């Protein structure tokens, strides 16, 4: 396959405005790098460089619908491994934790098959029933309830929630044949909402929402982020998805709220564990969990809303 066939056969070539959106994403990261050089800000330069790498891997993983389960399966693996390193676990938990890794393969296998029935129940039913059984077999009762709850929640965050992004890619859209527009809309809106809430919070300040969990979160930042996200989504979603302008605005506001929840939930997890960042694998950003925390809430909500409305 030559370069022309590789490009024309991509998901981006069959999605109206696909390459335009990809170009804007790359342009934004490159602009950030140039700004870092001009301002002599090493932090901005490093963060922008990492964004460029993330965009490159994301575009490769969404180049074809069949690539998405591999990309997000790998992200689930990295997130799961990172989460486990943060936890204080018992020796008796190791057997149960081991089974989360083959669960990634199984969950994304359902995604690749587009078997919605198994995709939607495998983690929250079958795995949730299996994990306590595996802990019982280990024979240690002290700390059993905590371990069962923690391990099942880790599976929800790192495997089940993130697998919804890969399944979105498999959803057929009339005239396109895949769900790249859904994935682009979800990921862009989730990422930009974090930026919007940060900017509005810094500009306006004001009362904190949950100071003990996330001291930097203010009502002005949250409301400003919701409003800005709704406005942007009103224009972006109709370009990439079947949503109209009004529905797009509503979805933008909903994703902003869900992204906020995902962010503060992970903040609570890190405060409980006693760490500032979940890891150091993404220079300038922290760890994998620091980058996908909002996505763990926005992805399932956006997927099921889209499934209900259009599929």
């Amino acid at each position: 396959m030559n370069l022309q066939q590789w490009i024309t056969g991509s998901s981006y070539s069959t999605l109206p405005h696909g390459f335009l959106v990809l170009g804007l994403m790359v342009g934004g990261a490159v602009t950030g790098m140039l700004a870092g050089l001009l301002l002599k800000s090493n932090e901005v330069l490093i963060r922008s460089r990492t964004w460029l790498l993330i965009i490159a891997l994301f575009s490769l993983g969404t180049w074809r619908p069949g690539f998405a389960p591999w990309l997000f399966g790998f992200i689930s693996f990295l997130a799961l491994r990172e989460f486990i390193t943060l936890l204080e676990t018992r020796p008796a938990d190791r057997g149960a934790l081991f089974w989360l890794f083959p669960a990634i393969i199984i969950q994304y296998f359902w995604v690749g098959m587009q078997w919605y029935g198994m995709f939607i129940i495998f983690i929250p039913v079958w795995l949730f029933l299996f994990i306590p059984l595996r802990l019982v077999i280990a024979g240690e009762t002290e700390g059993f309830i905590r371990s069962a709850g923690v391990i099942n929640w880790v599976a929800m965050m790192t495997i089940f929630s993130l697998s919804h992004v890969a399944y979105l890619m498999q959803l057929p859209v009339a005239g396109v044949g895949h769900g790249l527009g859904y994935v682009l809309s979800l990921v862009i809106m989730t990422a930009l909402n974090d930026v919007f809430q940060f900017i509005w919070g810094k500009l306006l300040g004001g009362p904190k929402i949950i100071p003990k969990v996330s001291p930097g979160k203010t009502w002005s930042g949250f409301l400003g982020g919701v409003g800005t996200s709704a406005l942007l989504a009103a224009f972006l979603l109709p370009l990439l998805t079947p949503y109209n302008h009004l529905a797009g605005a509503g979805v933008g506001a909903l994703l902003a709220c869900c992204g906020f929840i995902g962010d503060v939930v992970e903040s609570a997890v890190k405060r409980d564990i006693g760490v500032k960042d979940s890891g150091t694998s993404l220079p300038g950003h922290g760890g994998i969990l620091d980058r996908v925390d909002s996505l763990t809430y926005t992805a399932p909500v956006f997927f099921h809303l889209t499934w209900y409305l259009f599929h």
Side-chain angles (χ1 to χ4, degrees):
M1 180 182 293
N2 58 37
L3 180 60
Q4 183 178 0
Q5 290 174 322
W6 174 258
I7 294 174
T8 57
S10 73
S11 304
Y12 289 87
S13 66
T14 54
L15 175 69
H17 314 292
F19 278 117
L20 173 62
V21 173
L22 179 59
L24 290 173
M25 291 165 61
V26 173
V30 171
T31 301
M33 291 174 61
L34 294 175
L37 290 171
L38 291 172
L39 298 173
K40 296 182 180 179
S41 172
N42 200 41
E43 181 183 358
V44 173
L45 180 60
I46 292 172
R47 285 180 66 88
S48 300
R49 232 185 245 158
T50 302
W51 266 122
L52 192 60
L53 175 61
I54 291 172
I55 292 167
L57 294 174
F58 172 80
S59 61
L60 180 62
T62 53
W63 201 254
R64 300 280 180 84
F67 293 176
W70 295 94
L71 169 66
F72 289 98
F74 182 58
I75 293 173
S76 284
F77 167 77
L78 294 177
L80 173 60
R81 188 182 65 171
E82 187 175 88
F83 210 144
I84 289 175
T85 63
L86 297 174
L87 297 175
E88 292 183 8
T89 56
R90 310 171 304 164
D93 297 337
R94 292 170 186 167
L97 288 167
F98 164 80
W99 284 103
L100 297 187
F101 290 97
I104 295 173
I105 299 173
I106 297 171
Q107 176 69 3
Y108 283 93
F109 176 73
W110 308 136
V111 172
M113 288 186 65
Q114 300 179 43
W115 189 350
Y116 177 80
M118 284 302 296
F119 161 79
I120 207 65
I121 67 168
F122 172 65
I123 299 290
V125 177
W126 303 118
L127 187 67
F128 275 26
L129 293 175
F130 173 77
I131 291 299
L133 170 61
R134 184 61 186 84
L135 291 171
V136 166
I137 292 173
E140 178 60 65
T141 57
E142 185 176 352
F144 172 84
I145 294 176
R146 179 185 181 278
S147 291
V150 167
I151 294 173
N152 282 343
W153 178 241
V154 169
M156 282 293 288
M157 285 189 69
T158 62
I159 308 174
F160 186 66
S161 289
L162 294 178
S163 69
H164 285 76
V165 188
Y167 206 124
L168 271 173
M169 188 74 184
Q170 315 302 315
L171 297 182
V173 177
V176 179
H178 53 72
L180 174 61
Y182 293 139
V183 175
L184 286 173
S185 299
L186 169 66
V187 172
I188 290 172
M189 292 308 307
T190 300
L192 288 181
N193 173 64
D194 289 343
V195 176
F196 294 150
Q197 294 199 15
F198 174 79
I199 291 173
W200 283 111
K202 286 293 184 182
L203 288 175
L204 301 179
K208 312 287 186 182
I209 300 181
I210 318 175
K212 290 185 178 180
V213 177
S214 186
K217 300 291 185 185
T218 64
W219 280 106
S220 62
F222 170 69
L223 295 174
V226 170
T228 310
S229 294
L231 183 62
L232 177 62
F235 292 95
L236 179 65
L237 265 66
L239 289 177
L240 300 174
T241 73
Y243 286 98
N244 59 33
H245 295 289
L246 182 60
V251 170
L254 178 62
L255 291 181
C257 295
C258 293
F260 171 83
I261 295 170
D263 193 357
V264 296
V265 165
E266 207 230 335
S267 293
V269 170
K270 289 188 292 186
R271 285 191 173 275
D272 185 27
I273 295 171
V275 297
K276 181 179 183 295
D277 295 320
S278 64
T280 58
S281 55
L282 297 174
H285 294 261
I288 299 294
L289 291 171
D290 294 312
R291 254 307 26 99
V292 302
D293 53 1
S294 297
L295 204 58
T296 61
Y297 270 73
T298 59
V301 170
F302 183 66
F303 174 88
H304 290 291
L305 178 64
T306 300
W307 178 274
Y308 174 77
L309 293 176
F310 302 113
H311 300 275

